Amino acid sequence: MKFPLALQPNRVTMLGYGALLSESSSRLTFPHLTNFRHVRVQSMRRVFAHPHLFLLGENIVQYPTTLKIASLSAEPAPPHVSFVVAAFEVDLDDSQREALLRREPEYRVETTPFYSLEDSSAILGEGVICLASRDSDIDLTMMPEGMNTVWNWSTDSGILPLSMYLRHCLLAVHKAGGPAYESFLKDTYLADRKTTLEQYLEERNEEVMNSLPPPHLANRFSG
């Protein structure tokens, strides 16, 4: 398997922006991580704008019966757009590189600078982040029947967060607390790139928090 340049070093800083904002959640994926902390990335937008292919494959929700199918990604944005991420160090071997790419097959894996929470001009380093990709660069056979794109959903498509996945993220970031939790609500957007997650949850919080995972996914999707 050919690995992205971002994953080729033996030791990398990983940047997580969904459930990985919680250290306990991060340790489920990277049990030997070190130096867990929260930092900020700039010129990036966190957005629910592409389908959660794994959960669609598990028939958690049925497309096109519902458009509440979206997962999180990060995408380039104007310089004033930023959000809080988790940063931590991981030692990688080829089996771990392959496992990461199998878990995140639809993303483009690259590096981006990260900054201090206290000083937005203080670059602390560069980390590995999963970014929005292009249909031409991924295996489209992962899509459910009837779907014709992963990464080309328009701002008026109506795609919304998959509630069970959003619940998982909210439970995780609630454990993280502080700036990570506040940023997740205020600096995460729906596919229209205008509506914040905080605004979306004003009328849907109860529905989201009642969207429980099936037993076989409970450990993986309960924050």
Side-chain angles (χ1 to χ4, degrees), residues 159-177:
I159 189 173
L160 294 169
L162 197 154
S163 294
M164 191 202 87
Y165 171 70
L166 175 53
R167 172 185 180 271
H168 166 57
C169 293
L170 288 169
L171 291 173
V173 297
H174 188 265
K175 287 187 287 187

Side-chain angles (χ1 to χ4, degrees), residues 60-74:
I60 298 302
V61 294
Q62 299 297 322
Y63 173 84
T65 305
T66 180
L67 285 177
K68 292 180 180 177
I69 60 173
S71 184
L72 276 175
S73 62

Side-chain angles (χ1 to χ4, degrees), residues 2 27 41 44 48 53 71 130 148 152 170 177 192 195 214:
K2 184 177 180 181
R27 288 191 180 278
V41 294
M44 291 274 178
F48 282 95
L53 297 176
S71 184
C130 290
N148 59 20
N152 292 327
L170 288 169
D192 63 7
T195 305

Side-chain angles (χ1 to χ4, degrees), residues 103-205:
R103 282 194 307 272
E104 315 290 359
E106 71 268 34
Y107 294 94
R108 180 164 51 97
V109 180
E110 295 200 0
T111 59
T112 192
F114 58 89
Y115 300 78
S116 166
L117 294 182
E118 292 75 29
D119 181 357
S120 62
S121 66
I123 298 179
L124 301 180
E126 284 209 344
V128 177
I129 191 168
C130 290
L131 297 178
S133 185
R134 301 180 300 182
D135 284 357
S136 59
D137 292 337
I138 66 171
D139 178 7
L140 294 178
T141 64
M142 299 181 293
M143 293 188 303
E145 185 176 355
M147 187 176 289
N148 59 20
T149 184
V150 172
W151 290 111
N152 292 327
W153 293 77
S154 66
T155 55
D156 61 355
S157 64
I159 189 173
L160 294 169
L162 197 154
S163 294
M164 191 202 87
Y165 171 70
L166 175 53
R167 172 185 180 271
H168 166 57
C169 293
L170 288 169
L171 291 173
V173 297
H174 188 265
K175 287 187 287 187
Y181 182 68
E182 181 179 355
S183 174
F184 194 74
L185 295 178
K186 296 182 181 300
D187 299 328
T188 304
Y189 292 87
L190 302 191
D192 63 7
R193 277 68 170 182
K194 296 178 181 178
T195 305
T196 66
L197 183 59
E198 185 174 52
Q199 292 168 329
Y200 177 72
L201 288 171
E202 287 175 0
E203 296 181 357
R204 296 172 179 85
N205 187 67

Side-chain angles (χ1 to χ4, degrees), residues 58 60 164 212-222:
E58 291 285 316
I60 298 302
M164 191 202 87
L212 304 178
H216 72 288
L217 294 176
N219 287 340
R220 182 172 173 181
F221 286 96
S222 294

